[in-house]
Amino acid sequence: MTYPKFTLKLTFETPKKARIIYESVYPEHVASQVRSKCKMDLFENSIIISCISDELSILKASIYSYIRWIKVAESIYKLTEDE
């Protein structure tokens, strides 16, 4: 049996920005491992997120959660970028 899965690769302008976004999202990532299993890695200026679940609806919710967390982290980064 094959399970629904996705891999998302996000590339940022600098390794510093990628690390800050990664560290901001990581606590949410760890807490979300209940109904889907996801792996999140940081490589230079990229974050790679891979998830698998036994239900498509749970996988879809995971994708939306990661996108929302990353958007919030990027917004906060932009607000504090000049400080």
Side-chain angles (χ1 to χ4, degrees), residues 24-73:
S24 298
V25 172
Y26 191 79
E28 299 296 336
H29 160 75
V30 171
S32 72
Q33 303 298 307
V34 177
R35 301 202 49 202
S36 63
K37 298 301 175 200
C38 299
K39 181 179 175 189
M40 191 168 84
D41 294 307
L42 176 65
F43 296 105
E44 296 178 5
N45 65 329
S46 295
I47 298 172
I48 300 173
I49 302 165
S50 300
C51 293
I52 190 167
S53 179
D54 55 355
E55 295 179 43
L56 186 57
S57 61
I58 299 301
L59 191 65
K60 181 179 167 184
S62 294
I63 293 168
Y64 289 148
S65 293
Y66 278 98
I67 290 170
R68 187 177 62 250
W69 298 330
I70 290 164
K71 285 180 70 174
V72 168

mmCIF file of all heavy atoms in Angstrom, residues 24-73:
data_model
loop_
_atom_site.group_PDB
_atom_site.id
_atom_site.type_symbol
_atom_site.label_atom_id
_atom_site.label_comp_id
_atom_site.label_asym_id
_atom_site.label_seq_id
_atom_site.Cartn_x
_atom_site.Cartn_y
_atom_site.Cartn_z
ATOM 1 N N SER A 24 12.408 29.002 13.855
ATOM 2 C CA SER A 24 11.100 29.524 14.251
ATOM 3 C C SER A 24 9.995 28.490 14.064
ATOM 4 O O SER A 24 9.070 28.396 14.875
ATOM 5 C CB SER A 24 10.755 30.770 13.437
ATOM 6 O OG SER A 24 11.678 31.787 13.680
ATOM 7 N N VAL A 25 10.091 27.718 13.007
ATOM 8 C CA VAL A 25 9.053 26.736 12.675
ATOM 9 C C VAL A 25 9.283 25.408 13.410
ATOM 10 O O VAL A 25 8.326 24.673 13.670
ATOM 11 C CB VAL A 25 9.009 26.521 11.140
ATOM 12 C CG1 VAL A 25 8.087 25.376 10.757
ATOM 13 C CG2 VAL A 25 8.584 27.805 10.443
ATOM 14 N N TYR A 26 10.505 25.115 13.777
ATOM 15 C CA TYR A 26 10.844 23.810 14.355
ATOM 16 C C TYR A 26 9.975 23.411 15.557
ATOM 17 O O TYR A 26 9.508 22.260 15.614
ATOM 18 C CB TYR A 26 12.328 23.737 14.705
ATOM 19 C CG TYR A 26 12.758 22.338 15.036
ATOM 20 C CD1 TYR A 26 12.997 21.410 14.024
ATOM 21 C CD2 TYR A 26 12.887 21.918 16.351
ATOM 22 C CE1 TYR A 26 13.363 20.116 14.313
ATOM 23 C CE2 TYR A 26 13.253 20.622 16.649
ATOM 24 C CZ TYR A 26 13.490 19.719 15.637
ATOM 25 O OH TYR A 26 13.848 18.434 15.930
ATOM 26 N N PRO A 27 9.717 24.293 16.534
ATOM 27 C CA PRO A 27 8.864 23.864 17.651
ATOM 28 C C PRO A 27 7.463 23.418 17.220
ATOM 29 O O PRO A 27 6.912 22.463 17.767
ATOM 30 C CB PRO A 27 8.781 25.118 18.544
ATOM 31 C CG PRO A 27 10.020 25.885 18.214
ATOM 32 C CD PRO A 27 10.254 25.640 16.740
ATOM 33 N N GLU A 28 6.898 24.098 16.229
ATOM 34 C CA GLU A 28 5.595 23.683 15.700
ATOM 35 C C GLU A 28 5.711 22.330 14.996
ATOM 36 O O GLU A 28 4.835 21.478 15.118
ATOM 37 C CB GLU A 28 5.045 24.733 14.729
ATOM 38 C CG GLU A 28 4.823 26.089 15.344
ATOM 39 C CD GLU A 28 3.756 26.084 16.428
ATOM 40 O OE1 GLU A 28 2.877 25.196 16.432
ATOM 41 O OE2 GLU A 28 3.811 26.984 17.274
ATOM 42 N N HIS A 29 6.796 22.161 14.264
ATOM 43 C CA HIS A 29 7.053 20.906 13.545
ATOM 44 C C HIS A 29 7.079 19.730 14.527
ATOM 45 O O HIS A 29 6.428 18.717 14.312
ATOM 46 C CB HIS A 29 8.383 21.022 12.789
ATOM 47 C CG HIS A 29 9.000 19.721 12.419
ATOM 48 N ND1 HIS A 29 8.533 18.944 11.389
ATOM 49 C CD2 HIS A 29 10.051 19.054 12.953
ATOM 50 C CE1 HIS A 29 9.276 17.841 11.294
ATOM 51 N NE2 HIS A 29 10.198 17.895 12.229
ATOM 52 N N VAL A 30 7.815 19.872 15.608
ATOM 53 C CA VAL A 30 7.936 18.790 16.590
ATOM 54 C C VAL A 30 6.586 18.467 17.219
ATOM 55 O O VAL A 30 6.241 17.303 17.395
ATOM 56 C CB VAL A 30 8.979 19.162 17.677
ATOM 57 C CG1 VAL A 30 8.969 18.162 18.823
ATOM 58 C CG2 VAL A 30 10.365 19.255 17.056
ATOM 59 N N ALA A 31 5.810 19.492 17.515
ATOM 60 C CA ALA A 31 4.514 19.294 18.164
ATOM 61 C C ALA A 31 3.455 18.719 17.229
ATOM 62 O O ALA A 31 2.438 18.213 17.690
ATOM 63 C CB ALA A 31 4.020 20.621 18.736
ATOM 64 N N SER A 32 3.693 18.765 15.926
ATOM 65 C CA SER A 32 2.658 18.358 14.964
ATOM 66 C C SER A 32 2.759 16.901 14.524
ATOM 67 O O SER A 32 1.995 16.478 13.668
ATOM 68 C CB SER A 32 2.732 19.255 13.723
ATOM 69 O OG SER A 32 3.884 18.938 12.962
ATOM 70 N N GLN A 33 3.627 16.128 15.083
ATOM 71 C CA GLN A 33 3.881 14.761 14.613
ATOM 72 C C GLN A 33 2.890 13.738 15.177
ATOM 73 O O GLN A 33 3.268 12.651 15.566
ATOM 74 C CB GLN A 33 5.315 14.358 14.973
ATOM 75 C CG GLN A 33 6.379 15.265 14.424
ATOM 76 C CD GLN A 33 6.389 15.297 12.907
ATOM 77 O OE1 GLN A 33 6.452 14.259 12.256
ATOM 78 N NE2 GLN A 33 6.308 16.478 12.352
ATOM 79 N N VAL A 34 1.614 14.075 15.169
ATOM 80 C CA VAL A 34 0.616 13.183 15.749
ATOM 81 C C VAL A 34 -0.004 12.279 14.688
ATOM 82 O O VAL A 34 0.065 11.062 14.797
ATOM 83 C CB VAL A 34 -0.488 13.987 16.479
ATOM 84 C CG1 VAL A 34 -1.572 13.076 17.013
ATOM 85 C CG2 VAL A 34 0.130 14.804 17.605
ATOM 86 N N ARG A 35 -0.556 12.854 13.632
ATOM 87 C CA ARG A 35 -1.261 12.050 12.633
ATOM 88 C C ARG A 35 -0.532 11.949 11.307
ATOM 89 O O ARG A 35 -0.911 11.167 10.443
ATOM 90 C CB ARG A 35 -2.661 12.603 12.429
ATOM 91 C CG ARG A 35 -3.409 12.565 13.761
ATOM 92 C CD ARG A 35 -4.863 12.586 13.697
ATOM 93 N NE ARG A 35 -5.456 11.634 12.779
ATOM 94 C CZ ARG A 35 -6.666 11.787 12.279
ATOM 95 N NH1 ARG A 35 -7.374 12.847 12.589
ATOM 96 N NH2 ARG A 35 -7.166 10.900 11.457
ATOM 97 N N SER A 36 0.499 12.750 11.125
ATOM 98 C CA SER A 36 1.359 12.621 9.951
ATOM 99 C C SER A 36 2.803 12.615 10.452
ATOM 100 O O SER A 36 3.091 13.126 11.527
ATOM 101 C CB SER A 36 1.145 13.775 8.962
ATOM 102 O OG SER A 36 1.503 14.996 9.548
ATOM 103 N N LYS A 37 3.658 12.018 9.691
ATOM 104 C CA LYS A 37 5.073 11.959 10.060
ATOM 105 C C LYS A 37 5.845 12.827 9.083
ATOM 106 O O LYS A 37 5.833 12.586 7.872
ATOM 107 C CB LYS A 37 5.596 10.516 10.021
ATOM 108 C CG LYS A 37 4.897 9.604 11.016
ATOM 109 C CD LYS A 37 5.073 10.114 12.434
ATOM 110 C CE LYS A 37 4.271 9.283 13.414
ATOM 111 N NZ LYS A 37 4.011 9.946 14.658
ATOM 112 N N CYS A 38 6.507 13.843 9.621
ATOM 113 C CA CYS A 38 7.224 14.785 8.779
ATOM 114 C C CYS A 38 8.676 14.900 9.228
ATOM 115 O O CYS A 38 8.990 14.756 10.409
ATOM 116 C CB CYS A 38 6.574 16.163 8.827
ATOM 117 S SG CYS A 38 4.866 16.170 8.246
ATOM 118 N N LYS A 39 9.513 15.189 8.267
ATOM 119 C CA LYS A 39 10.927 15.408 8.515
ATOM 120 C C LYS A 39 11.257 16.798 7.978
ATOM 121 O O LYS A 39 10.845 17.150 6.868
ATOM 122 C CB LYS A 39 11.739 14.340 7.785
ATOM 123 C CG LYS A 39 13.217 14.443 7.992
ATOM 124 C CD LYS A 39 13.924 13.314 7.238
ATOM 125 C CE LYS A 39 15.421 13.506 7.360
ATOM 126 N NZ LYS A 39 16.158 12.591 6.501
ATOM 127 N N MET A 40 11.979 17.573 8.757
ATOM 128 C CA MET A 40 12.340 18.923 8.340
ATOM 129 C C MET A 40 13.844 19.068 8.490
ATOM 130 O O MET A 40 14.396 18.839 9.566
ATOM 131 C CB MET A 40 11.608 19.954 9.202
ATOM 132 C CG MET A 40 11.717 21.357 8.676
ATOM 133 S SD MET A 40 10.585 22.515 9.478
ATOM 134 C CE MET A 40 11.524 22.943 10.914
ATOM 135 N N ASP A 41 14.514 19.436 7.389
ATOM 136 C CA ASP A 41 15.969 19.569 7.380
ATOM 137 C C ASP A 41 16.371 20.943 6.860
ATOM 138 O O ASP A 41 15.676 21.541 6.039
ATOM 139 C CB ASP A 41 16.606 18.498 6.486
ATOM 140 C CG ASP A 41 16.403 17.099 7.025
ATOM 141 O OD1 ASP A 41 16.738 16.868 8.201
ATOM 142 O OD2 ASP A 41 15.885 16.249 6.277
ATOM 143 N N LEU A 42 17.527 21.394 7.324
ATOM 144 C CA LEU A 42 18.100 22.661 6.901
ATOM 145 C C LEU A 42 19.402 22.368 6.169
ATOM 146 O O LEU A 42 20.276 21.670 6.703
ATOM 147 C CB LEU A 42 18.364 23.538 8.132
ATOM 148 C CG LEU A 42 19.058 24.869 7.899
ATOM 149 C CD1 LEU A 42 18.186 25.802 7.063
ATOM 150 C CD2 LEU A 42 19.378 25.519 9.240
ATOM 151 N N PHE A 43 19.529 22.851 4.943
ATOM 152 C CA PHE A 43 20.739 22.712 4.139
ATOM 153 C C PHE A 43 21.090 24.074 3.561
ATOM 154 O O PHE A 43 20.395 24.567 2.673
ATOM 155 C CB PHE A 43 20.549 21.723 2.983
ATOM 156 C CG PHE A 43 20.295 20.311 3.430
ATOM 157 C CD1 PHE A 43 19.028 19.773 3.345
ATOM 158 C CD2 PHE A 43 21.315 19.533 3.940
ATOM 159 C CE1 PHE A 43 18.780 18.475 3.744
ATOM 160 C CE2 PHE A 43 21.079 18.241 4.352
ATOM 161 C CZ PHE A 43 19.808 17.703 4.254
ATOM 162 N N GLU A 44 22.126 24.676 4.110
ATOM 163 C CA GLU A 44 22.589 25.986 3.665
ATOM 164 C C GLU A 44 21.435 26.980 3.657
ATOM 165 O O GLU A 44 20.949 27.351 4.707
ATOM 166 C CB GLU A 44 23.307 25.888 2.333
ATOM 167 C CG GLU A 44 24.578 25.059 2.424
ATOM 168 C CD GLU A 44 25.284 24.910 1.099
ATOM 169 O OE1 GLU A 44 24.851 25.523 0.103
ATOM 170 O OE2 GLU A 44 26.278 24.181 1.065
ATOM 171 N N ASN A 45 20.974 27.412 2.484
ATOM 172 C CA ASN A 45 19.891 28.393 2.445
ATOM 173 C C ASN A 45 18.545 27.769 2.066
ATOM 174 O O ASN A 45 17.642 28.455 1.601
ATOM 175 C CB ASN A 45 20.234 29.547 1.495
ATOM 176 C CG ASN A 45 20.336 29.109 0.060
ATOM 177 O OD1 ASN A 45 20.717 27.976 -0.224
ATOM 178 N ND2 ASN A 45 19.995 29.997 -0.853
ATOM 179 N N SER A 46 18.395 26.465 2.292
ATOM 180 C CA SER A 46 17.141 25.775 1.959
ATOM 181 C C SER A 46 16.602 24.980 3.145
ATOM 182 O O SER A 46 17.360 24.425 3.931
ATOM 183 C CB SER A 46 17.359 24.804 0.796
ATOM 184 O OG SER A 46 17.687 25.502 -0.373
ATOM 185 N N ILE A 47 15.289 24.942 3.217
ATOM 186 C CA ILE A 47 14.588 24.082 4.169
ATOM 187 C C ILE A 47 13.842 23.047 3.339
ATOM 188 O O ILE A 47 13.145 23.390 2.382
ATOM 189 C CB ILE A 47 13.585 24.882 5.025
ATOM 190 C CG1 ILE A 47 14.320 25.931 5.864
ATOM 191 C CG2 ILE A 47 12.769 23.941 5.908
ATOM 192 C CD1 ILE A 47 13.381 26.881 6.593
ATOM 193 N N ILE A 48 14.001 21.781 3.714
ATOM 194 C CA ILE A 48 13.307 20.700 3.013
ATOM 195 C C ILE A 48 12.390 20.005 4.007
ATOM 196 O O ILE A 48 12.827 19.567 5.071
ATOM 197 C CB ILE A 48 14.296 19.705 2.395
ATOM 198 C CG1 ILE A 48 15.186 20.442 1.384
ATOM 199 C CG2 ILE A 48 13.551 18.539 1.738
ATOM 200 C CD1 ILE A 48 16.306 19.618 0.818
ATOM 201 N N ILE A 49 11.114 19.920 3.637
ATOM 202 C CA ILE A 49 10.106 19.297 4.484
ATOM 203 C C ILE A 49 9.511 18.127 3.704
ATOM 204 O O ILE A 49 9.033 18.302 2.582
ATOM 205 C CB ILE A 49 8.998 20.295 4.856
ATOM 206 C CG1 ILE A 49 9.600 21.508 5.564
ATOM 207 C CG2 ILE A 49 7.932 19.620 5.717
ATOM 208 C CD1 ILE A 49 8.672 22.695 5.649
ATOM 209 N N SER A 50 9.545 16.953 4.306
ATOM 210 C CA SER A 50 8.961 15.751 3.695
ATOM 211 C C SER A 50 7.954 15.163 4.671
ATOM 212 O O SER A 50 8.279 14.966 5.844
ATOM 213 C CB SER A 50 10.038 14.717 3.394
ATOM 214 O OG SER A 50 10.993 15.239 2.513
ATOM 215 N N CYS A 51 6.754 14.879 4.183
ATOM 216 C CA CYS A 51 5.702 14.338 5.048
ATOM 217 C C CYS A 51 5.030 13.145 4.392
ATOM 218 O O CYS A 51 4.923 13.070 3.170
ATOM 219 C CB CYS A 51 4.639 15.393 5.329
ATOM 220 S SG CYS A 51 5.199 16.761 6.315
ATOM 221 N N ILE A 52 4.551 12.259 5.249
ATOM 222 C CA ILE A 52 3.776 11.111 4.802
ATOM 223 C C ILE A 52 2.656 10.887 5.808
ATOM 224 O O ILE A 52 2.825 11.148 7.009
ATOM 225 C CB ILE A 52 4.665 9.850 4.650
ATOM 226 C CG1 ILE A 52 3.899 8.735 3.959
ATOM 227 C CG2 ILE A 52 5.252 9.419 5.980
ATOM 228 C CD1 ILE A 52 4.770 7.590 3.488
ATOM 229 N N SER A 53 1.512 10.438 5.316
ATOM 230 C CA SER A 53 0.364 10.171 6.176
ATOM 231 C C SER A 53 -0.456 9.062 5.549
ATOM 232 O O SER A 53 -0.361 8.814 4.345
ATOM 233 C CB SER A 53 -0.483 11.432 6.328
ATOM 234 O OG SER A 53 -1.609 11.166 7.140
ATOM 235 N N ASP A 54 -1.265 8.423 6.360
ATOM 236 C CA ASP A 54 -2.118 7.382 5.796
ATOM 237 C C ASP A 54 -3.427 7.949 5.246
ATOM 238 O O ASP A 54 -4.192 7.240 4.610
ATOM 239 C CB ASP A 54 -2.391 6.276 6.811
ATOM 240 C CG ASP A 54 -2.985 6.775 8.109
ATOM 241 O OD1 ASP A 54 -3.101 7.997 8.274
ATOM 242 O OD2 ASP A 54 -3.328 5.930 8.960
ATOM 243 N N GLU A 55 -3.671 9.250 5.476
ATOM 244 C CA GLU A 55 -4.876 9.889 4.951
ATOM 245 C C GLU A 55 -4.519 11.163 4.197
ATOM 246 O O GLU A 55 -3.746 11.990 4.689
ATOM 247 C CB GLU A 55 -5.825 10.258 6.096
ATOM 248 C CG GLU A 55 -6.373 9.079 6.853
ATOM 249 C CD GLU A 55 -7.284 9.521 7.985
ATOM 250 O OE1 GLU A 55 -8.107 10.442 7.751
ATOM 251 O OE2 GLU A 55 -7.172 8.957 9.069
ATOM 252 N N LEU A 56 -5.102 11.333 3.037
ATOM 253 C CA LEU A 56 -4.838 12.514 2.223
ATOM 254 C C LEU A 56 -5.277 13.796 2.928
ATOM 255 O O LEU A 56 -4.584 14.814 2.864
ATOM 256 C CB LEU A 56 -5.532 12.381 0.865
ATOM 257 C CG LEU A 56 -5.235 13.467 -0.154
ATOM 258 C CD1 LEU A 56 -3.739 13.567 -0.429
ATOM 259 C CD2 LEU A 56 -6.011 13.220 -1.436
ATOM 260 N N SER A 57 -6.396 13.764 3.626
ATOM 261 C CA SER A 57 -6.879 14.963 4.314
ATOM 262 C C SER A 57 -5.906 15.403 5.409
ATOM 263 O O SER A 57 -5.708 16.611 5.625
ATOM 264 C CB SER A 57 -8.266 14.729 4.908
ATOM 265 O OG SER A 57 -8.229 13.676 5.852
ATOM 266 N N ILE A 58 -5.276 14.470 6.096
ATOM 267 C CA ILE A 58 -4.293 14.802 7.132
ATOM 268 C C ILE A 58 -3.045 15.394 6.477
ATOM 269 O O ILE A 58 -2.463 16.367 6.965
ATOM 270 C CB ILE A 58 -3.920 13.549 7.960
ATOM 271 C CG1 ILE A 58 -5.154 12.981 8.669
ATOM 272 C CG2 ILE A 58 -2.800 13.851 8.949
ATOM 273 C CD1 ILE A 58 -5.838 13.929 9.621
ATOM 274 N N LEU A 59 -2.634 14.839 5.356
ATOM 275 C CA LEU A 59 -1.473 15.356 4.634
ATOM 276 C C LEU A 59 -1.743 16.783 4.148
ATOM 277 O O LEU A 59 -0.882 17.660 4.265
ATOM 278 C CB LEU A 59 -1.130 14.445 3.456
ATOM 279 C CG LEU A 59 0.193 14.727 2.782
ATOM 280 C CD1 LEU A 59 1.351 14.448 3.731
ATOM 281 C CD2 LEU A 59 0.329 13.892 1.530
ATOM 282 N N LYS A 60 -2.925 17.012 3.642
ATOM 283 C CA LYS A 60 -3.308 18.356 3.193
ATOM 284 C C LYS A 60 -3.260 19.345 4.354
ATOM 285 O O LYS A 60 -2.746 20.456 4.220
ATOM 286 C CB LYS A 60 -4.715 18.305 2.591
ATOM 287 C CG LYS A 60 -5.221 19.613 2.059
ATOM 288 C CD LYS A 60 -6.620 19.398 1.485
ATOM 289 C CE LYS A 60 -7.307 20.703 1.232
ATOM 290 N NZ LYS A 60 -8.682 20.536 0.769
ATOM 291 N N ALA A 61 -3.747 18.957 5.508
ATOM 292 C CA ALA A 61 -3.692 19.817 6.688
ATOM 293 C C ALA A 61 -2.244 20.102 7.080
ATOM 294 O O ALA A 61 -1.912 21.228 7.479
ATOM 295 C CB ALA A 61 -4.440 19.169 7.845
ATOM 296 N N SER A 62 -1.372 19.114 6.953
ATOM 297 C CA SER A 62 0.047 19.310 7.266
ATOM 298 C C SER A 62 0.684 20.329 6.326
ATOM 299 O O SER A 62 1.421 21.213 6.767
ATOM 300 C CB SER A 62 0.815 17.989 7.153
ATOM 301 O OG SER A 62 0.393 17.087 8.132
ATOM 302 N N ILE A 63 0.393 20.206 5.043
ATOM 303 C CA ILE A 63 0.933 21.156 4.065
ATOM 304 C C ILE A 63 0.501 22.573 4.422
ATOM 305 O O ILE A 63 1.321 23.487 4.484
ATOM 306 C CB ILE A 63 0.453 20.804 2.633
ATOM 307 C CG1 ILE A 63 1.045 19.486 2.168
ATOM 308 C CG2 ILE A 63 0.809 21.931 1.659
ATOM 309 C CD1 ILE A 63 0.398 18.938 0.911
ATOM 310 N N TYR A 64 -0.791 22.758 4.676
ATOM 311 C CA TYR A 64 -1.298 24.086 5.015
ATOM 312 C C TYR A 64 -0.675 24.616 6.298
ATOM 313 O O TYR A 64 -0.386 25.808 6.410
ATOM 314 C CB TYR A 64 -2.819 24.080 5.125
ATOM 315 C CG TYR A 64 -3.525 23.916 3.804
ATOM 316 C CD1 TYR A 64 -4.734 23.251 3.725
ATOM 317 C CD2 TYR A 64 -2.986 24.421 2.625
ATOM 318 C CE1 TYR A 64 -5.397 23.099 2.515
ATOM 319 C CE2 TYR A 64 -3.645 24.269 1.413
ATOM 320 C CZ TYR A 64 -4.842 23.611 1.363
ATOM 321 O OH TYR A 64 -5.490 23.467 0.171
ATOM 322 N N SER A 65 -0.467 23.745 7.273
ATOM 323 C CA SER A 65 0.152 24.175 8.529
ATOM 324 C C SER A 65 1.571 24.675 8.302
ATOM 325 O O SER A 65 1.940 25.751 8.791
ATOM 326 C CB SER A 65 0.165 23.022 9.539
ATOM 327 O OG SER A 65 -1.148 22.705 9.936
ATOM 328 N N TYR A 66 2.369 23.914 7.561
ATOM 329 C CA TYR A 66 3.744 24.343 7.299
ATOM 330 C C TYR A 66 3.777 25.666 6.540
ATOM 331 O O TYR A 66 4.558 26.557 6.870
ATOM 332 C CB TYR A 66 4.532 23.270 6.539
ATOM 333 C CG TYR A 66 5.056 22.203 7.454
ATOM 334 C CD1 TYR A 66 4.396 20.999 7.607
ATOM 335 C CD2 TYR A 66 6.229 22.404 8.181
ATOM 336 C CE1 TYR A 66 4.864 20.019 8.457
ATOM 337 C CE2 TYR A 66 6.710 21.432 9.033
ATOM 338 C CZ TYR A 66 6.030 20.239 9.169
ATOM 339 O OH TYR A 66 6.507 19.280 10.022
ATOM 340 N N ILE A 67 2.924 25.796 5.549
ATOM 341 C CA ILE A 67 2.887 27.048 4.778
ATOM 342 C C ILE A 67 2.507 28.217 5.682
ATOM 343 O O ILE A 67 3.125 29.278 5.627
ATOM 344 C CB ILE A 67 1.930 26.921 3.576
ATOM 345 C CG1 ILE A 67 2.540 25.959 2.543
ATOM 346 C CG2 ILE A 67 1.653 28.284 2.953
ATOM 347 C CD1 ILE A 67 1.593 25.561 1.430
ATOM 348 N N ARG A 68 1.531 28.027 6.540
ATOM 349 C CA ARG A 68 1.102 29.089 7.459
ATOM 350 C C ARG A 68 2.223 29.447 8.440
ATOM 351 O O ARG A 68 2.524 30.626 8.649
ATOM 352 C CB ARG A 68 -0.157 28.646 8.210
ATOM 353 C CG ARG A 68 -0.770 29.735 9.062
ATOM 354 C CD ARG A 68 -2.065 29.297 9.741
ATOM 355 N NE ARG A 68 -1.846 28.189 10.665
ATOM 356 C CZ ARG A 68 -2.267 26.925 10.470
ATOM 357 N NH1 ARG A 68 -2.934 26.593 9.389
ATOM 358 N NH2 ARG A 68 -2.033 25.997 11.364
ATOM 359 N N TRP A 69 2.871 28.451 9.039
ATOM 360 C CA TRP A 69 3.960 28.715 9.984
ATOM 361 C C TRP A 69 5.110 29.457 9.315
ATOM 362 O O TRP A 69 5.685 30.386 9.877
ATOM 363 C CB TRP A 69 4.487 27.421 10.583
ATOM 364 C CG TRP A 69 3.496 26.624 11.375
ATOM 365 C CD1 TRP A 69 2.419 27.111 12.090
ATOM 366 C CD2 TRP A 69 3.463 25.213 11.522
ATOM 367 N NE1 TRP A 69 1.747 26.077 12.667
ATOM 368 C CE2 TRP A 69 2.352 24.898 12.351
ATOM 369 C CE3 TRP A 69 4.254 24.173 11.051
ATOM 370 C CZ2 TRP A 69 2.045 23.589 12.718
ATOM 371 C CZ3 TRP A 69 3.954 22.873 11.415
ATOM 372 C CH2 TRP A 69 2.848 22.590 12.232
ATOM 373 N N ILE A 70 5.430 29.051 8.105
ATOM 374 C CA ILE A 70 6.539 29.686 7.386
ATOM 375 C C ILE A 70 6.189 31.119 7.012
ATOM 376 O O ILE A 70 7.018 32.022 7.135
ATOM 377 C CB ILE A 70 6.948 28.834 6.164
ATOM 378 C CG1 ILE A 70 7.623 27.554 6.660
ATOM 379 C CG2 ILE A 70 7.860 29.612 5.230
ATOM 380 C CD1 ILE A 70 7.745 26.464 5.627
ATOM 381 N N LYS A 71 4.964 31.349 6.568
ATOM 382 C CA LYS A 71 4.545 32.721 6.237
ATOM 383 C C LYS A 71 4.610 33.631 7.458
ATOM 384 O O LYS A 71 5.063 34.770 7.364
ATOM 385 C CB LYS A 71 3.137 32.717 5.638
ATOM 386 C CG LYS A 71 3.095 32.213 4.208
ATOM 387 C CD LYS A 71 1.693 32.216 3.664
ATOM 388 C CE LYS A 71 1.253 33.646 3.454
ATOM 389 N NZ LYS A 71 -0.051 33.759 2.789
ATOM 390 N N VAL A 72 4.177 33.136 8.603
ATOM 391 C CA VAL A 72 4.236 33.933 9.830
ATOM 392 C C VAL A 72 5.696 34.216 10.192
ATOM 393 O O VAL A 72 6.056 35.354 10.517
ATOM 394 C CB VAL A 72 3.499 33.225 10.991
ATOM 395 C CG1 VAL A 72 3.803 33.882 12.323
ATOM 396 C CG2 VAL A 72 2.003 33.200 10.734
ATOM 397 N N ALA A 73 6.542 33.199 10.133
ATOM 398 C CA ALA A 73 7.961 33.381 10.467
ATOM 399 C C ALA A 73 8.624 34.374 9.513
ATOM 400 O O ALA A 73 9.414 35.220 9.940
ATOM 401 C CB ALA A 73 8.681 32.034 10.429
#
